[in-house]
Amino acid sequence: GPGAYSVGGYSEPSTADYFPRTWALAPWGQNLVANPRGGTIYLWENDTGEVAKPLANAPRAVTHMVVAPQDMIFALGCNEEASGSFNALCIRHCGVRRNTEWNTAANTTAREYILPGGGRIVAGRVIGSHILVWTNHALYLGQYIGSLAQPWRFDRVGEKCGLVGPNAAIVVGQAAFWLGPDLQFYRYGLGQSPTAI
């Protein structure tokens, strides 16, 4: 079974969740941002003589990271700003073109959102100018609104079509394809509903 060697009864399921150490990588101009699952977000400034460094002010525990076309880094499944507690359905993003600006304020575009429903965020992908966010149960579409009061809006576009793992989704053009926890393949096109393939 999972967990430390010789812990628990033989063949007993684990009482905790264990996830593989997957990485989310994305360009930030000429630099690279990277997020190991469960860790913080790192910035590598395109210098082979230097190592990647933790991004200042970013959440310290992040499930998955994406960079939106609007030059905003998204932490999907992360620590809440006010309490600092990890929330598997919390989404936070930095300000536009300000990768160290993560605190919500009236004069910034950094914000925090909590997805409705249960479960946990598994991963996200960019599709056009939008962001797709999968939980283990549902699919959400993030749309850029652009106002200071609400830079982004996240709407559930599908239920019972979650993602089995962080590397089990791909976007091709304006369509996303993925494998769900039910081992069914799904497709989603902008403006449509998720459908089983």
Side-chain angles (χ1 to χ4, degrees):
Y5 180 74
S6 191
V7 172
Y10 177 76
S11 191
E12 295 270 329
S14 172
T15 56
D17 289 330
Y18 293 92
F19 299 105
R21 184 80 155 180
T22 55
W23 286 77
L25 306 168
W28 179 264
Q30 296 295 314
N31 301 326
L32 176 74
V33 286
N35 166 235
R37 185 180 186 144
T40 191
I41 299 171
Y42 292 84
L43 178 69
W44 181 66
E45 298 185 295
N46 201 14
D47 181 354
T48 57
E50 294 291 326
V51 298
K53 295 180 178 69
L55 194 57
N57 304 318
R60 67 184 178 279
V62 179
T63 300
H64 195 81
M65 176 271 314
V66 296
V67 175
Q70 294 81 3
D71 291 330
M72 302 167 102
I73 301 171
F74 279 77
L76 307 174
C78 62
N79 304 94
E80 291 184 20
E81 182 180 350
S83 69
S85 299
F86 180 81
N87 183 338
L89 292 171
C90 180
I91 297 175
R92 290 176 62 190
H93 62 77
C94 69
V96 176
R97 295 186 187 93
R98 296 178 184 224
N99 62 13
T100 60
E101 183 180 84
W102 289 84
N103 294 327
T104 301
N107 62 346
T108 73
T109 51
R111 293 291 181 270
E112 176 179 272
Y113 313 88
I114 307 295
L115 295 180
R120 58 180 168 74
I121 292 174
V122 176
R125 298 288 187 274
V126 174
I127 181 167
S129 61
H130 301 72
I131 294 176
L132 292 175
V133 178
W134 284 271
T135 67
N136 54 332
H137 301 298
L139 174 64
Y140 293 83
L141 178 67
Q143 300 178 51
Y144 183 66
I145 306 300
S147 74
L148 268 178
Q150 184 185 19
W152 286 80
R153 184 179 80 215
F154 290 88
D155 298 306
R156 187 176 6 217
V157 293
E159 293 187 47
K160 298 180 182 174
C161 60
L163 187 62
V164 70
N167 295 328
I170 188 169
V171 172
V172 180
Q174 297 292 309
F177 302 88
W178 70 96
L179 180 64
D182 57 357
L183 303 182
Q184 172 68 53
F185 284 98
Y186 293 92
R187 179 190 188 280
Y188 172 77
L190 286 174
Q192 303 170 1
S193 295
T195 56
I197 298 176

